[in-house]
Amino acid sequence: MRVIVVGAGEVGSSIAASLSASHDVVVVDRDPDRVESLTYELDVLAIEGDGTSLETLQEARVADADMVIASTDNDETNIVACSTAKTLGDVFTIARVKKTSLLRTWERSEGVFGVDFMVSVNLLTAESIVRIAGLPGAQDVGTFADGIVSMAEFGIAADSPIADQSVREADRFESLTFAAILRDDDVTIPTGDTTIEAGDRVVVIGSPESVRGFAAALTPDPTLSEANEVVIVGGGEIGYQTARLFEERGIAPRLIEHDPDRARELAEDLPETIVLESDATDREFLDREHVDEADLVVATLDSDEKNLLVSLLARRIGCARTIAVVNAAEYVDLFETVGIDVAVNPREVTAEEITRFTYEEQTENVAMIEADRAEVLEIEVDRDSVLADTEIHEAATEFPEGVVVGAITRDGAFITPRGDTVVHPGDHVVVFVDTEVLDEVSSLL
Amino acid sequence: MNVRVDWRASLSLVGTVVKYLAVALVLPLATAAWYGEGLLTFGATILLAVTAGTALERLDPDPDLGAREGFLMVGLTWLAVAIVGAVPYLIAGEGTVAAPANALFESMSGFTTTGATVMGDISFDTHSRALMIWRQQTQWLGGMGIVVLAVAILPELSVGGAQLMDAEAPGPGIEKLTPRIAETARVLWLVYLGFTVLEFVLLYGLHMGGHAPNMTFYNAVAHPLTTMPTGGFSPEARSIEAFSAVVQWVIIPFMIAAGTNFALFWHVLRGEPSNLLGDSEFRTYAGAIGVVSALGAVILFTGPNLVGPDNPFPVAGNLESSLRHATFQAVSIVTTTGYASMDFEVWSGPAQYVLVFAMFVGGSAGSTGGGIKIVRWLVILKSIRRELFTTVHPEAVRPVRLAGRALDERALRGIYAFTLLYFALFLIGALLIAVDAARVGLDLAVIEALTASAATLGNIGPGLGMVGPMGSYLDFPTTSKLLMVGLMWIGRLEIIPVLVLLTSGYWRS
């Protein structure tokens, strides 16, 4: 597939990097330095020019491309780039936008602006934060099949009740599948005898209730409910969207914003949120506002360093759990190592969203595990699939190593997959796949 | 002094309004003709209004209205119509209102829908039916606003109309219902007219059905003219007490409607009734009426000193009666109508204090009611709540919200300033009235001075004691009456537009 990425900023470069392995990627950017460095860093064609001009797009051979991903920092530029690309050929266009209002307009009438798919980075990040917040102890959370199926990744501490147990012993939960154990750099597909060790990360797939039940069994942290104290630091678009989503779930968060004008704006837009105008690194202020008693502190400031500082400070004074937005992908692990419970990378979130368009059409939803080491796919089973009308253990013999059928939904109902479960065409299956065998599995399913 | 206000333009438009006032004078003229009374009074006033109006119009043949000219025009219009409105009382020469200061008082009380009277004897023996209908009619004209009426009819006002209505309309800010302000003004007046006609039909229907013996055709016309503007004048000396219980019950909802934001009715007519019931001001308004009524009813029902051999109203122990009178009085005072279904002078102390308290509530913004207005109280209460919250959380940023929308801090300051000014003027007014009474040796109780000031500033009408619902303002010295004319004027225009005219900064650049 020929993919043109307009805008080689952090997100654009990241998308280009993740796509370059299996696709022909052309990157367009106005900054000659960036174009030059990309040419050497990635196996892509980098072109200098304005992504909204016909000339540049013609140079990038949009007419021959399958997909245009407009990913500059400017919403309007991205939209115009998509519209312009549409005039040159029948190409699938993806626009990244910051403004949620544009996304709302697009949702009303998909395809408007010449945009086939619109991705709001900030909104996706906020959704991701709120999803993770709802599951204590979880490092990553994904939902599939309209929310009937949940996927979650948990770190196993030494004092965890399932540490040093075999999967068979640990498997005490209805409709829950242990999809994978991530140990060091390995992805292990567990059998009943596999032992879960401290320091492992386990990926489970199941109904939302069972995943919540599993989370509750793992950690004593309370689940997020109305009574819970959530503090959001930073009133940028991500902070704003996060607060809004918490409000939608009936939780009244507190939002700390330093800029008075922005604070006022936020206070006007967020009726249930208590907006506090202050510096979040002011100890005295944090004490006065009892941030130490918060169940969750979310740091959504612009700079990774500040988010790290705020999160560490919050942990230090006694807050139960911290989630921080980390823009630099390479810091995600580091941040989680030094004490931030969950680091959310907007680019990774965006990449996940965009990646699902690079898969074949039948893929409904994708979640990436541990930066590309594995993926969880939702697939609608058709007649050609090896799963169609066969029992799972029979079909499984055709699969390579590294594949687990985690859940099945039929007509909106959850079905726990067991060896003798027969999958019908039209069912949705949620499958855990090791990235190494992804292409092979995709063709089988 | 270099005057930067184009006062000629303002006066010219005042002249236009005065000229058109002649049209309104046709109703009392016709009434006089119908009842075979002298036509001179109103014929001469019409001539005067047309002449004076035309003369003023000549000052500026093509008036251009800016914001400052708007304030001046609105302020002077109300003064001018009150003066012209006083002329019939002077010419007719009937009773106490024939004295110049009294005539002006009665006229200003009418146009500002206050309902305070200086008539010594309210009866057709002293006053002609035509003069009485004029007295009723001044309130109807003033209710929805003379300037709003002018904006609705006069095309030359449509450009500056929003500022004019803003300066005049009760409550903070105006709500544009339609893109064109003249259309909005017309909508409001049509709703107003509609309610007036409906009330007439109901009242006269009751009379025809034999349920309201005293509600003659004349009374059925006269009362809607003063219910809907929350005026309170009645051609009956005993006010609404003169009518049957069912009439009193019928008038209550009309008073409530008159104190409601008229824009809400327009939404209801457009098929969105949730706009009325969901409106936070309306809910608070209904709540205030409910609480005051309930308090009053309990006090009346259990009141020990209300049933005596001389008291013809057995309210104590009578559920319907105590409920009706308490509700009627609560609604009448909260909406600043000023009707009385009984002389609340005989009420016990606590019940009277409830009414005094209710005087400061006021109607809704965009209604014909006077006073401080519910919406301001609502905003003030929310501000206080915010103040308490930010004391605990000093960094908290909390906009004050009304119906989900955050209010501008400047609008809040305006509301604080208004309310503070209102109380300051009320106290200064009461003080001056008390001093003036002492000057002429009039024996005035403190509550009388206080309620006289509150009742005129809030455009309510009756107070307590001498100025009670069956009493009058006749005995005050002329100076006090002129002061009250000023209070009514300031109160009707919501203080700021009048006071701004007194500042030097307004007149200079």
Side-chain angles (χ1 to χ4, degrees):
Chain A
M1 195 159 71
R2 186 181 173 87
V3 181
I4 296 171
V5 178
V6 177
E10 289 188 20
V11 178
S13 311
S14 160
I15 293 170
S18 69
L19 295 181
S20 62
S22 44
H23 302 285
D24 295 337
V25 179
V26 182
V27 180
V28 176
D29 200 283
R30 287 198 299 190
D31 180 358
D33 294 340
R34 217 178 287 163
V35 168
E36 199 189 316
S37 66
L38 267 185
T39 305
Y40 296 106
E41 271 172 32
L42 296 175
D43 185 17
V44 299
L45 171 64
I47 295 175
E48 183 194 333
D50 181 349
T52 62
S53 88
L54 269 182
E55 231 170 89
T56 313
L57 290 178
Q58 271 165 341
E59 195 188 336
R61 299 219 332 271
V62 164
D64 301 333
D66 303 285
M67 189 181 285
V68 170
I69 300 171
S71 174
T72 71
D73 267 346
N74 185 296
D75 291 0
E76 286 75 14
T77 305
N78 291 340
I79 287 172
V80 174
C82 287
S83 301
T84 313
K86 278 281 181 193
T87 67
L88 287 171
D90 184 25
V91 59
F92 193 92
T93 56
I94 300 177
R96 162 202 171 200
V97 295
K98 294 198 193 94
K99 278 188 212 141
T100 318
S101 57
L102 286 170
L103 182 69
R104 297 271 175 265
T105 309
W106 181 82
E107 280 170 346
R108 258 186 93 86
S109 167
E110 284 190 22
V112 79
F113 310 133
V115 173
D116 294 313
F117 184 59
M118 194 175 266
V119 181
S120 170
V121 181
N122 297 325
L123 183 61
L124 285 174
T125 310
E127 280 170 347
S128 182
I129 289 171
V130 174
R131 239 188 350 253
I132 294 169
L135 218 48
Q139 235 104 25
D140 194 1
V141 178
T143 58
F144 299 89
D146 298 325
I148 299 167
V149 179
S150 276
M151 179 280 298
E153 181 188 326
F154 295 93
I156 305 299
D159 57 354
S160 168
I162 62 167
D164 302 321
Q165 288 184 348
S166 71
V167 168
R168 191 174 291 116
E169 288 168 325
D171 193 1
R172 300 182 285 261
F173 302 89
E174 270 297 299
S175 46
L176 188 81
T177 305
F178 282 77
I181 294 172
L182 309 171
R183 184 175 302 158
D184 301 324
D185 285 333
D186 296 330
V187 178
T188 310
I189 305 297
T191 63
D193 302 322
T194 311
T195 310
I196 299 166
E197 293 170 12
D200 285 356
R201 291 180 171 194
V202 300
V203 177
V204 295
I205 297 170
S207 67
E209 302 79 47
S210 63
V211 173
R212 267 203 298 276
F214 182 66
L218 284 193
T219 84
D221 292 350
T223 45
L224 227 44
S225 65
E226 266 184 61
N228 281 76
E229 293 268 338
V230 175
V231 176
I232 301 164
V233 180
E237 186 67 13
I238 296 178
Y240 164 69
Q241 293 294 349
T242 307
R244 197 178 59 78
L245 292 172
F246 273 122
E247 281 189 358
E248 271 180 14
R249 280 157 183 72
I251 294 166
R254 280 181 288 169
L255 176 58
I256 302 169
E257 165 62 38
H258 198 45
D259 177 64
D261 292 339
R262 177 65 183 164
R264 168 81 194 185
E265 224 174 276
L266 289 165
E268 288 183 5
D269 289 347
L270 297 164
E272 307 299 330
T273 303
I274 295 168
V275 178
L276 301 165
E277 180 202 319
S278 176
D279 185 347
T281 53
D282 177 351
R283 274 294 300 261
E284 207 177 299
F285 158 75
L286 295 178
D287 286 342
R288 191 166 57 240
E289 283 298 328
H290 296 284
V291 173
D292 52 314
E293 286 165 24
D295 298 302
L296 175 65
V297 170
V298 182
T300 67
L301 295 162
D302 290 338
S303 109
D304 290 357
E305 292 80 0
K306 280 188 198 156
N307 283 338
L308 176 68
L309 182 64
V310 164
S311 306
L312 292 179
L313 192 57
R315 274 313 284 264
R316 176 123 188 148
I317 62 175
C319 147
R321 192 171 175 222
T322 56
I323 298 178
V325 171
V326 179
N327 287 298
E330 61 268 35
Y331 290 159
V332 169
D333 279 348
L334 177 67
F335 279 27
E336 286 181 356
T337 309
V338 296
I340 292 177
D341 293 291
V342 183
V344 174
N345 182 328
R347 285 188 289 150
E348 194 182 307
V349 175
T350 312
E352 276 185 31
E353 191 75 6
I354 290 176
T355 305
R356 69 178 168 125
F357 281 95
T358 66
Y359 288 113
E360 286 168 56
E361 275 182 355
Q362 69 211 40
T363 308
E364 303 277 320
N365 208 340
V366 179
M368 290 193 214
I369 307 289
E370 287 291 293
D372 294 1
R373 275 160 59 190
E375 276 169 30
V376 178
L377 310 177
E378 178 187 344
I379 289 163
E380 187 177 333
V381 174
D382 59 18
R383 301 205 168 276
D384 304 331
S385 168
V386 291
L387 284 171
D389 296 320
T390 42
E391 292 187 358
I392 287 178
H393 65 83
E394 259 176 63
T397 56
E398 311 246 350
F399 287 135
E401 280 280 305
V403 182
V404 178
V405 176
I408 301 167
T409 65
R410 185 173 299 156
D411 302 327
F414 184 91
I415 296 169
T416 311
R418 294 291 174 238
D420 56 352
T421 310
V422 178
V423 181
H424 300 305
D427 289 355
H428 284 231
V429 293
V430 177
V431 189
F432 177 94
V433 187
D434 193 327
T435 312
E436 284 171 22
V437 296
L438 188 62
D439 288 343
E440 194 182 338
V441 174
S442 294
S443 58
L444 286 170
L445 288 171
Chain B
M1 190 174 83
N2 206 354
V3 175
R4 294 300 176 99
V5 181
D6 185 3
W7 56 272
R8 282 197 171 82
S10 308
L11 276 180
S12 163
L13 286 168
V14 172
T16 310
V17 175
V18 167
K19 192 176 78 182
Y20 281 102
L21 192 62
V23 178
L25 283 152
V26 169
L27 177 69
L29 188 75
T31 311
W34 178 263
Y35 287 102
E37 295 160 354
L39 297 178
L40 172 76
T41 305
F42 290 98
T45 314
I46 287 173
L47 200 63
L48 177 94
V50 173
T51 320
T54 314
L56 281 173
E57 261 188 328
R58 292 260 166 96
L59 278 173
D60 187 347
D62 186 21
D64 188 18
L65 211 58
R68 294 189 182 194
E69 287 74 28
F71 278 119
L72 187 61
M73 185 250 168
V74 171
L76 290 184
T77 298
W78 283 81
L79 203 55
V81 295
I83 291 168
V84 175
V87 172
Y89 299 117
L90 291 172
I91 300 180
E94 299 158 350
T96 52
V97 283
N102 288 352
L104 182 63
F105 185 100
E106 198 75 6
S107 176
M108 185 60 99
S109 171
F111 277 108
T112 58
T113 76
T114 306
T117 186
V118 284
M119 276 191 174
D121 173 33
I122 301 176
S123 76
F124 297 132
D125 298 336
T126 312
H127 304 282
S128 71
R129 283 180 160 79
L131 194 68
M132 284 300 220
I133 209 76
W134 172 241
R135 182 169 169 262
Q136 301 293 111
Q137 202 194 339
T138 53
Q139 296 211 314
W140 194 77
L141 289 171
M144 197 33 84
I146 298 217
V147 175
V148 178
L149 185 58
V151 170
I153 344 185
L154 303 178
E156 60 258 48
L157 288 180
S158 59
V159 175
Q163 282 157 6
L164 295 179
M165 281 175 68
D166 199 21
E168 181 193 72
I174 55 159
E175 184 186 349
K176 270 200 182 188
L177 300 173
T178 59
R180 292 195 179 279
I181 193 74
E183 194 60 39
T184 300
R186 248 167 286 176
V187 164
L188 293 176
W189 268 88
L190 273 177
V191 173
Y192 184 53
L193 182 67
F195 271 116
T196 309
V197 171
L198 181 65
E199 188 185 350
F200 160 76
V201 169
L202 284 178
L203 290 181
Y204 198 53
L206 283 176
H207 178 69
M208 299 300 275
H211 300 292
N214 206 12
M215 190 51 80
T216 58
F217 181 79
Y218 185 89
N219 272 334
V221 171
H223 285 89
L225 287 180
T226 58
T227 313
M228 288 321 294
T230 69
F233 274 158
S234 168
E236 294 288 340
R238 303 296 295 168
S239 189
I240 309 303
E241 188 190 284
F243 301 101
S244 59
V246 60
V247 167
Q248 296 175 0
W249 277 120
V250 165
I251 287 177
I252 289 174
F254 282 96
M255 288 195 286
I256 294 176
T260 307
N261 186 345
F262 275 60
L264 296 177
F265 293 122
W266 185 72
H267 290 306
V268 171
L269 284 177
R270 283 164 47 93
E272 299 157 0
S274 58
N275 271 321
L276 175 67
L277 299 173
D279 184 69
S280 54
E281 183 180 24
F282 181 73
R283 293 165 84 120
T284 316
Y285 168 63
I289 287 174
V291 168
V292 175
S293 305
L295 268 176
V298 168
I299 297 170
L300 287 186
F301 187 75
T302 56
N305 56 348
L306 288 173
V307 188
D310 300 332
N311 193 337
F313 307 101
V315 287
N318 184 328
L319 187 64
E320 189 273 341
S321 180
S322 51
L323 201 61
R324 170 162 44 89
H325 289 300
T327 310
F328 191 97
Q329 237 50 256
V331 171
S332 171
I333 297 297
V334 168
T335 61
T336 74
T337 308
Y339 279 156
S341 63
M342 68 179 289
D343 189 352
F344 49 75
E345 272 305 296
V346 303
W347 286 18
S348 63
Q352 290 195 349
Y353 293 139
V354 169
L355 290 185
V356 172
F357 172 77
M359 283 185 169
F360 291 94
V361 176
S364 311
S367 75
T368 65
I372 291 175
K373 308 272 176 325
I374 306 273
V375 67
R376 290 203 181 88
W377 284 120
L378 202 57
V379 168
I380 288 168
L381 285 177
K382 288 182 177 214
S383 304
I384 291 171
R385 214 161 62 194
R386 165 170 75 176
E387 229 39 60
L388 296 179
F389 186 87
T390 47
T391 309
V392 185
H393 305 271
E395 289 86 1
V397 181
R398 292 224 119 179
V400 173
R401 276 168 208 283
L402 203 59
R405 281 183 48 198
L407 292 178
D408 190 67
E409 297 299 320
R410 261 182 316 181
L412 283 185
R413 275 209 306 278
I415 287 172
Y416 304 151
F418 172 88
T419 313
L420 204 62
L421 265 174
Y422 191 95
F423 278 101
L425 281 173
F426 153 65
L427 289 172
I428 292 169
L431 180 72
L432 290 178
I433 290 167
V435 169
D436 201 34
R439 184 179 62 86
V440 297
L442 177 69
D443 185 23
L444 201 63
V446 174
I447 192 75
E448 286 174 322
L450 285 173
T451 55
S453 178
T456 47
L457 181 64
N459 302 142
I460 298 159
L464 289 173
M466 180 177 102
V467 296
M470 308 304 168
S472 94
Y473 287 71
L474 181 60
D475 294 333
F476 281 107
T478 303
T479 38
S480 287
K481 285 178 195 159
L482 291 177
L483 170 74
M484 291 182 209
V485 166
L487 286 178
M488 292 189 271
W489 183 41
I490 291 177
R492 177 59 182 80
L493 292 181
E494 306 245 304
I495 302 176
I496 313 267
V498 177
L499 289 191
V500 77
L501 299 180
L502 305 178
T503 61
S504 61
Y506 168 82
W507 293 99
R508 287 190 225 123
S509 56

